[in-house]
Amino acid sequence: MLDTASLNNILNQPQKIVITTHHKPDGDAMGSSLGLYNYLIQQGHHAKVIAPTDYPEFLWWMPGNEEVIIYTEQTEQSALLIAEADLIFCLDFNALSRINQMGELVRESSAVKVMIDHHLEPEDFDDYRYWNINACATAQLVYSFITDELQRADLINADVATCLYTGIMTDSASFRLPNTTANVHRIVASLMDAGAVNWRIHELVYSNASENRLRFLGYCLSAKLEILTDYNTALIAVTHAELKQYDVNTGDTEGIVNYALSIAGIKLAAFIVERKDLVKLSLRSTGTFPANEICKKYFKGGGHRNAAGGQSELSLEQTIEKFKQILPEYKTLLIQ
Ligand code: 5GP
Ligand code: MN
């Protein structure tokens, strides 16, 4: 493992840098990546953000977004950049399987690998690690990495601040999850001082829905919501045909699970969606209920205690059945 002084030394010379993040990037994945990107380019580095897959349109406005490369669309160029990189920053993930086929390319690369992340149980593929599961967002860690480790608070300009604010806002569910500490608010205040316009960012991310997204949300809530009263659990499951019917795009399903969790007394909410090749689960929970444990144990996934995800190769119907059959195991936790 490298120490901070050695990493700082490397960063004192212009380097070829790849920044990557988990597949189907969310606000924190893109916010932390572009925040770091906007920081690094000020120092003359040749930096590129490579997203393993596409990501929702409500994130396309962020500064630097026009320079992002999507691996599935520009595979050869991505592979070349990874092979030639001096440094690879891995943000908001800690297992190479989270970046799909890019994982092997990163593993094989001789670049110095830097992990900045807040998920449990990191895999051992990095040379430098800035990792804290108590952080509410990877963007929060990128902020303290720049200000505390690299001592370059002076380079947090409006572009960096705007991206990092977006990451913190989205991963903390608009500053309301328990890990939104007083220190997070102090960081957010300094991002505003540096030029992040809070109300505008909120508007760009959350008031940017298509008519389809809203109608699909309405359909999910009125026709598809199932309450499992005995287990304080709410469930929404949608078929591939329903996605097609509402012309649902990447990102349109994001956040729907939170509506199910917002019902009084509900401790666990699941959004189960039949994608083209597999069934994807999103779980959310309140308090100490370990949503990530269910995802890890039964659905080849993981995540945070209150926000986790996984997948299933069973049919949608069978996946729903499997999910329901798991609940008795957790009954005491769910009804307490
Ligand atoms: P979402 O429900 O928004 O897709 O994911 C919520 C969180 O669960 C993500 O931030 C990520 O930490 C985790 N997560 C989602 N899907 C997976 C998965 O397939 N594997 C793992 N390890 N974590 C996942
Ligand atoms: Mn995150």
Side-chain angles (χ1 to χ4, degrees):
M1 282 275 174
L2 276 182
D3 59 14
T4 303
S6 313
L7 180 64
N8 222 339
N9 256 340
I10 298 173
L11 287 170
N12 278 333
Q13 306 294 324
Q15 304 287 354
K16 293 196 281 279
I17 299 178
V18 164
I19 302 165
T20 190
T21 189
H22 59 80
H23 76 125
K24 293 279 168 204
D26 58 8
D28 187 32
M30 291 316 295
S32 58
S33 296
L34 285 169
L36 183 68
Y37 166 82
N38 284 301
Y39 166 79
L40 291 169
I41 56 171
Q42 293 176 74
Q43 295 189 307
H45 296 296
H46 182 272
K48 270 284 173 201
V49 175
I50 309 180
T53 63
D54 64 352
Y55 48 94
E57 217 170 317
F58 63 78
L59 298 173
W60 292 359
W61 58 271
M62 271 190 279
N65 184 70
E66 62 290 348
E67 296 293 327
V68 174
I69 294 181
I70 297 173
Y71 176 79
T72 46
E73 292 165 15
Q74 285 162 278
T75 309
E76 271 174 38
Q77 193 191 349
S78 305
L80 197 65
L81 284 164
I82 294 168
E84 289 181 348
D86 302 311
L87 270 128
I88 300 177
F89 280 89
C90 298
L91 302 193
D92 204 33
F93 72 95
N94 63 27
L96 290 175
S97 61
R98 298 277 291 146
I99 55 174
N100 305 346
Q101 296 94 321
M102 278 176 67
E104 281 318 301
L105 302 179
V106 170
R107 195 193 303 280
E108 283 161 19
S109 147
S110 56
V112 170
K113 290 151 205 161
V114 179
M115 176 199 294
I116 305 181
D117 180 56
H118 66 145
H119 293 91
L120 297 165
E121 298 172 6
E123 219 176 70
D124 198 12
F125 64 85
D126 49 334
D127 302 300
Y128 179 92
R129 184 174 295 182
Y130 195 67
W131 174 75
N132 185 346
I133 55 163
N134 297 318
C136 74
T138 295
Q140 177 191 342
L141 292 175
V142 169
Y143 178 87
S144 47
F145 174 69
I146 294 172
T147 56
D148 302 345
E149 301 303 310
L150 305 181
Q151 299 280 321
R152 292 311 301 262
D154 58 306
L155 292 183
I156 307 268
N157 64 15
D159 286 350
V160 175
T162 298
C163 297
L164 296 183
Y165 186 101
T166 306
I168 295 174
M169 179 187 80
T170 52
D171 247 29
S172 67
S174 298
F175 316 107
R176 65 192 160 95
L177 294 183
N179 52 17
T180 317
T181 57
N183 189 44
V184 170
H185 283 284
R186 278 187 281 272
I187 290 174
V188 163
S190 58
L191 293 174
M192 288 170 68
D193 285 339
V197 183
N198 59 334
W199 60 269
R200 181 67 184 140
I201 295 172
H202 195 279
E203 202 171 75
L204 285 163
V205 172
Y206 293 119
S207 302
N208 215 352
S210 62
E211 183 183 333
N212 275 347
R213 141 109 184 151
L214 235 65
R215 294 201 186 280
F216 179 66
L217 170 64
Y219 172 68
C220 287
L221 299 182
S222 73
K224 310 281 345 207
L225 177 67
E226 186 181 353
I227 311 288
L228 308 166
T229 326
D230 289 349
Y231 299 103
N232 288 327
T233 295
L235 169 73
I236 296 172
V238 291
T239 65
H240 192 65
E242 287 164 331
L243 294 182
K244 279 244 149 87
Q245 185 189 337
Y246 282 86
D247 195 19
V248 170
N249 289 318
T250 306
D252 282 347
T253 54
E254 204 158 306
I256 293 180
V257 64
N258 294 323
Y259 288 90
L261 192 67
S262 73
I263 302 166
I266 292 297
K267 288 242 172 71
L268 176 66
F271 183 75
I272 307 182
V273 57
E274 184 185 28
R275 300 257 177 231
K276 231 186 282 156
D277 36 8
L278 48 76
V279 173
K280 177 85 186 117
L281 294 94
S282 274
L283 300 194
R284 298 293 183 270
S285 68
T286 60
T288 54
F289 188 86
N292 53 351
E293 190 184 302
I294 294 185
C295 289
K296 189 171 173 207
K297 217 163 139 185
Y298 296 103
F299 298 108
K300 294 186 196 147
H304 312 279
R305 189 179 63 199
N306 298 127
Q311 59 206 44
S312 152
E313 273 128 37
L314 301 171
S315 70
L316 180 66
E317 280 309 314
Q318 289 168 325
T319 307
I320 298 168
E321 246 347 274
K322 179 173 172 181
F323 175 74
K324 288 181 178 171
Q325 278 168 11
I326 291 164
L327 296 178
E329 184 188 331
Y330 291 93
K331 185 156 186 171
T332 0
L333 282 177
L334 287 167
I335 60 172
Q336 72 191 359

